[in-house]
């Protein structure tokens, strides 16, 4: 199988923890070819969606070497020439990302197999998409009305505010109804009614971790990674200083995963990362879900190989083809 991976610059990849790196290691171990390009190297040219790319050869699969890859000379090829195209560009999900989904969607019509499905990525805002599954969520509202945001905090006693295009725990605020900074928080995020904000009832179980539950090919990975907030923090995101602790899924984690997995897989979302706090889902990550390596390192469960096997099934390819 020939796989094209659209990813961030190779020089910035931290091989000891990067999920995309672990995918490439697992794919090459199963006999597949890896080709890479950056988001900016995809184009519509001559009526075809093409990429300026290079074949990648792993020279170190341990995650410890600085010089861990070798690249063949640059080439240009249509995306439809590959058995699978993996969109692994990290957020932010900005307009450039949206434009890339347009290109990838056109590439699909030209015969490419893209994972995750670009239309599904566009349709599943990672914050708002939980609204489809209210039986698994904490109380929440999404609004531009600053008065309603304040009322919600009063109703709940304590709430978390976030922007719909936020990432990595950025611009997340926790506020109580008696917080003297409540007005400032709302004004900062909402810009006096100019920007849409999500508010969720505060979940004190965040102290035990913000759990990343992975869904792969409609299956639930049996381990999650609980991101434990550092002292004085209410955010468990690893990017915000949280510590990752791998755990077996609780009964509730599994119930949430098993309810959502077939629905999301049917929409072309091969890999999904659910964020679960306590018994509630707080986000559905579809752009570039992570935590493969932390789970493998702490439990021995090989998430990356499970992913490549699911990719093989989705494309009808066999190991070593």
């Amino acid at each position: 199988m020939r796989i094209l991976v659209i990813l961030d610059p190779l020089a910035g990849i931290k091989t000891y923890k990067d999920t995309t790196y672990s995918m490439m290691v697992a794919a090459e171990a199963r006999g597949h070819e890896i080709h890479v390009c950056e988001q900016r190297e995809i184009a519509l040219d001559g009526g075809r969606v093409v990429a300026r790319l290079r074949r990648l050869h792993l020279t170190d699969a341990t995650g410890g070497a600085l010089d861990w890859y070798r690249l063949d000379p640059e080439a240009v090829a249509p995306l439809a020439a590959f058995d699978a195209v993996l969109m692994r560009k990290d957020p932010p999900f900005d307009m450039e990302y949206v434009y890339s989904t347009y290109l990838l969607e056109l590439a699909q019509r030209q015969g490419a197999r893209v994972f995750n499905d670009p239309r599904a990525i566009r349709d599943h805002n990672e914050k708002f998409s939980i609204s489809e599954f209210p039986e698994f969520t904490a109380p929440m509202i999404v609004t531009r009305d600053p008065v309603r945001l304040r009322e919600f905090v009063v109703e709940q006693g304590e709430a978390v505010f976030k922007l719909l295009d936020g990432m990595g725990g950025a611009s997340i605020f926790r506020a109580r109804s008696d917080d003297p900074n409540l007005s400032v928080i709302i004004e900062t995020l909402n810009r006096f009614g100019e920007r849409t904000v999500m508010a969720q009832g505060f979940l004190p179980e965040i102290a035990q971790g913000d759990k990343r539950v992975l869904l792969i090919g409609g299956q639930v990975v049996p381990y999650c990674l609980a991101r434990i907030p550092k002292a004085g923090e209410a955010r468990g995101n690893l990017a915000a200083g949280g510590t990752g602790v791998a755990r077996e899924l609780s009964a509730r984690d599994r119930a949430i995963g098993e309810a959502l997995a077939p629905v999301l897989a049917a929409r072309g979302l091969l890999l999904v990362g659910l964020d679960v706090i306590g018994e509630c889902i707080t986000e559905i990550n579809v752009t570039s879900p992570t935590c493969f390596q932390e789970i493998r390192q702490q439990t021995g469960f090989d998430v990356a190989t499970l992913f490549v096997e699911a990719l093989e099934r989705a494309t009808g390819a066999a190991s070593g083809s």
Side-chain angles (χ1 to χ4, degrees):
M1 183 164 62
R2 298 176 72 235
I3 303 171
L4 174 62
V5 185
I6 304 165
L7 73 179
D8 290 292
L10 290 169
I13 288 181
K14 297 178 174 63
T15 55
Y16 65 92
K17 69 174 186 176
D18 188 86
T19 288
T20 303
Y21 168 79
S22 70
M23 291 176 173
M24 294 190 293
V25 170
E28 189 170 90
R30 292 178 66 81
H32 303 306
E33 283 186 19
I34 306 298
H35 300 254
V36 295
C37 73
E38 295 180 26
Q39 181 184 25
R40 60 184 175 83
E41 295 175 310
I42 309 168
L44 174 63
D45 192 344
R48 303 288 291 175
V49 179
V50 300
R52 188 157 37 91
L53 51 87
R54 294 146 298 278
R55 182 173 176 183
L56 180 142
H57 304 266
L58 290 171
T59 56
D60 177 82
T62 68
L66 293 176
D67 299 324
W68 55 272
Y69 65 88
R70 174 175 57 82
L71 296 175
D72 283 355
E74 184 179 285
V76 175
L79 271 60
F82 293 88
D83 298 292
V85 177
L86 303 184
M87 181 50 160
R88 290 291 302 172
K89 170 71 177 68
D90 283 343
F93 190 83
D94 53 15
M95 284 308 301
E96 286 300 322
Y97 201 117
V98 172
Y99 299 150
S100 293
T101 67
Y102 295 155
L103 288 167
L104 293 172
E105 193 172 3
L106 177 57
Q108 283 183 315
R109 295 197 292 272
Q110 295 174 349
R113 297 173 179 178
V114 183
F115 305 93
N116 282 329
D117 179 84
R119 178 185 290 272
I121 290 176
R122 271 202 319 273
D123 287 348
H124 289 79
N125 176 275
E126 296 187 326
K127 308 291 190 296
F128 188 80
S129 57
I130 66 170
S131 62
E132 185 178 351
F133 308 99
E135 67 272 31
F136 299 122
T137 68
M140 57 176 281
I141 61 168
V142 178
T143 182
R144 287 174 56 175
D145 183 353
V147 174
R148 183 68 191 104
L149 290 170
R150 175 180 285 277
E151 290 173 347
F152 182 81
V153 180
V154 172
E155 292 165 6
Q156 298 299 315
E158 193 166 6
V160 172
F161 294 115
K162 57 180 69 173
L163 298 175
L164 295 182
D165 61 353
M167 56 168 283
S171 298
I172 292 180
F173 290 86
R174 171 184 172 187
R176 298 185 305 273
S177 57
D178 61 351
D179 192 327
N181 292 312
L182 180 56
S183 295
V184 175
I185 292 170
I186 293 174
E187 290 165 7
T188 298
L189 289 177
N190 177 245
R191 293 179 182 170
F192 301 95
E194 291 300 316
R195 191 157 60 176
T196 300
V197 174
M198 170 181 278
Q200 296 170 300
F202 175 69
L203 296 167
E205 296 91 338
I206 182 62
Q208 284 76 55
D210 180 353
K211 296 171 286 186
R212 170 59 55 83
V213 177
L214 293 167
L215 313 179
I216 296 177
Q219 300 180 33
V220 185
V221 174
Y223 296 92
C224 66
L225 190 76
R227 286 81 52 89
I228 313 297
K230 65 181 181 181
E233 263 284 359
R235 301 172 299 171
N237 308 72
L238 300 182
T243 300
V245 178
R247 297 174 179 164
E248 291 187 21
L249 298 186
S250 69
R252 176 66 170 181
D253 296 337
R254 183 169 291 279
I256 293 172
E258 290 178 349
L260 271 62
V263 176
L264 299 175
R267 297 173 184 173
L269 295 168
L270 184 72
L271 172 60
V272 176
L274 307 178
D275 287 350
V276 179
I277 298 176
E279 298 194 341
C280 296
I281 183 172
T282 60
E283 293 187 16
I284 300 176
N285 297 273
V286 300
T287 49
S288 186
T290 60
C291 300
F292 282 26
Q293 292 217 58
E294 293 89 345
I295 291 174
R296 180 188 57 78
Q297 289 161 1
Q298 295 183 41
T299 71
F301 188 88
D302 191 348
V303 188
T305 295
L306 183 69
F307 172 79
V308 175
E309 291 171 345
L311 186 65
E312 291 168 354
R313 291 192 297 271
T315 59
S319 173
S321 65

